[in-house]
Amino acid sequence: MTTLGGSGVAVSRLAFGGAAIGNLFTEVSDEQAHEAVTAAWERGIRYFDTAPHYGLGLSERRLGEALARYPRAEYTVSTKVGRRLEPTEVAGDDLANGFAVPAAHHRVWDFSADGVRRTLEASLERLGLDRVDVVYLHDPDDHAEDVFREGYPALEKLRSEGVVGAIGAGMNQAEMLTRFVRETDVDVVLCAGRYTLLDRSALDELLPAAVEWGVSVVVGGAFNSGLLADPRPGATYNYAHAPTELLDRALRMKEVADRHGIGLRAAALAYCAAHPAVASVLVGARSAAEVHDCADQFATQVPDAFWQELRETGLLEEQA
C-alpha cells in the first residue's frame, strides 16, 4: 500500500478499474461482475475505481454491492464528477458511448460547483456508501475554464469539509494533468494511456512535475486498450485499430519478452509501476479469470536484461 500525495489515503499498488463491469462494449452479468471484485479482493487489491459514466451508473451499483461484504475501513474507492446523469424517455442503448446498457439516462457535462456536489451525492447513493475516498474531475479536456473556475474549487471545498479524502483529475492526456499538478493542490492525477510501453508522453513533463510537487499518479490504460495485452493484426490501440507501425513495435517487444521468459503484459504493467511518481496501476477486468491473470502478471519479476535489450534495440529510450 502507498498513500496519495499528502492526503493519507492509501491505495494498493494494483487497482481494479470498474469500466468493464459497467458493460464496456459487451454485457457482463451481475454474477460475473461480483466474482471479478471478489477475485480482486482475494488477490490483495484494495483500491477500486469507478465513475457514473461507466454503464450509466451500472459500474457504481455493482461495485457497491460487491464491496458491501467487506469492512469499509479496509478498501479505497474513487469515483468521478463532470458527467451528471439525467433520466431520459428515449428508448435504445448506450453503445454509441461504449456501454452495452439501456439508455435510461443521458450524460450532461457539468463541472459547476452545484453539479459536482449533485453528481457525487448520486454516486454515493448508487454505491451504497456514505463517503468515497477519492474524487476525480473526469475528462475535462474541453471544459478547462469551467473546471478550473468552479469544478476544482468545489472538490477542494469537499476535501476541506472532510467529505472526501483526496481529490484529483482523470484524463487520457498528459498536458492538462500537468497543469493540475502545477497550478492546483490536487493529491493525485489519473493518467490513462499516456504512460505505457508504446506511449511515453507523460514522461516528458507530467511525471517529473508530479515528483517535484509531491502529487501521486495513478496510471490506467497500461495495455493501450489491447495492443500490449495481445499484439496481433486487428488489435486495438486507444480503442481503434492499431496503426501498422505500432503493431510492429508491439510485436517486436513481445519477441523480446518471449526470449526472456515473460509475458508482454507483465512488462507493460511493470513499466507503469516503476516510476517513483506512480502510486498505483489501474487495470480493468470483467471476470475473475482476468483479475487473476492481471495479478499474476503484476507479480512477475521482469529481468533487467529484458529492459536492456529493449534499449539496445531502440524499443525503449535510455531515460525511460
Side-chain angles (χ1 to χ4, degrees):
M1 301 288 283
T2 188
T3 57
L4 298 177
S7 70
V9 173
V11 294
S12 51
R13 293 286 287 162
L14 182 62
F16 180 92
I21 64 169
N23 288 6
L24 180 65
F25 301 131
T26 186
E27 290 187 17
V28 174
S29 70
D30 288 344
E31 182 180 11
Q32 284 177 293
H34 291 179
E35 287 174 351
V37 176
T38 299
W41 189 274
E42 291 171 350
R43 297 305 298 265
I45 294 172
R46 295 295 182 268
Y47 174 29
F48 300 85
D49 176 72
T50 184
H53 173 56
Y54 303 156
L56 293 170
L58 179 62
S59 172
E60 290 181 316
R61 287 193 293 273
R62 284 175 164 172
L63 183 62
E65 291 166 358
L67 289 174
R69 73 194 81 172
Y70 303 115
R72 180 62 186 92
E74 294 185 14
Y75 61 86
T76 295
V77 172
S78 60
T79 192
K80 305 179 183 76
V81 293
R83 288 177 173 94
R84 184 164 45 78
L85 301 183
E86 291 289 342
T88 182
E89 300 282 331
V90 179
D93 59 46
D94 192 50
L95 284 172
N97 293 296
F99 295 92
V101 297
H105 294 78
H106 67 278
R107 300 165 182 83
V108 178
W109 287 106
D110 191 349
F111 289 100
S112 69
D114 178 65
V116 164
R117 285 187 176 268
R118 288 171 58 193
T119 302
L120 180 56
E121 287 169 3
S123 289
L124 291 172
E125 185 175 344
R126 285 188 291 268
L127 285 161
L129 298 174
D130 60 2
R131 64 179 173 85
V132 291
D133 305 282
V134 187
V135 178
Y136 295 106
L137 297 155
H138 199 185
D139 295 337
D141 305 66
D142 299 322
H143 306 272
E145 183 178 346
D146 291 339
V147 81
F148 284 101
R149 186 183 67 243
E150 284 202 56
Y152 168 75
L155 283 193
E156 199 172 61
K157 191 168 190 295
L158 288 169
R159 183 179 59 186
S160 70
E161 294 169 352
V163 177
V164 299
I167 60 173
M171 306 179 72
N172 295 291
Q173 59 150 291
E175 292 79 11
M176 192 183 290
L177 290 182
T178 305
R179 183 179 172 189
F180 275 105
V181 169
R182 289 175 172 163
E183 298 181 15
T184 73
D185 189 32
V186 292
D187 304 289
V188 57
V189 292
L190 197 171
C191 182
R194 305 286 81 84
Y195 185 57
T196 74
L197 282 174
L198 292 173
D199 184 336
R200 297 187 277 275
S201 53
L203 192 59
D204 296 335
E205 294 189 40
L206 175 60
L207 294 180
V211 171
E212 179 183 356
W213 291 93
V215 173
S216 293
V217 178
V218 173
V219 173
F223 304 136
N224 282 123
S225 84
L227 182 55
L228 284 169
D230 183 15
R232 55 181 170 75
T236 55
Y237 176 82
N238 291 349
Y239 305 105
H241 281 296
T244 301
E245 62 272 18
L246 286 181
L247 174 59
D248 291 344
R249 192 174 185 87
L251 287 169
R252 290 171 61 199
M253 288 181 172
K254 184 178 184 301
E255 291 173 0
V256 178
D258 290 344
R259 281 197 292 275
H260 290 274
I262 59 169
L264 183 59
R265 296 192 305 283
L269 293 172
Y271 178 79
C272 292
H275 196 282
V278 175
S280 187
V281 179
L282 185 68
V283 181
R286 65 181 69 250
S287 68
E290 288 187 3
V291 170
H292 286 301
D293 177 70
C294 284
D296 288 343
Q297 298 296 326
F298 192 73
T300 298
Q301 292 294 316
V302 179
D304 291 342
F306 166 79
W307 304 114
Q308 186 59 35
E309 184 170 346
L310 286 191
R311 291 188 174 95
E312 290 172 351
T313 54
L315 293 170
L316 189 67
E317 299 94 333
E318 283 296 328
Q319 70 272 24

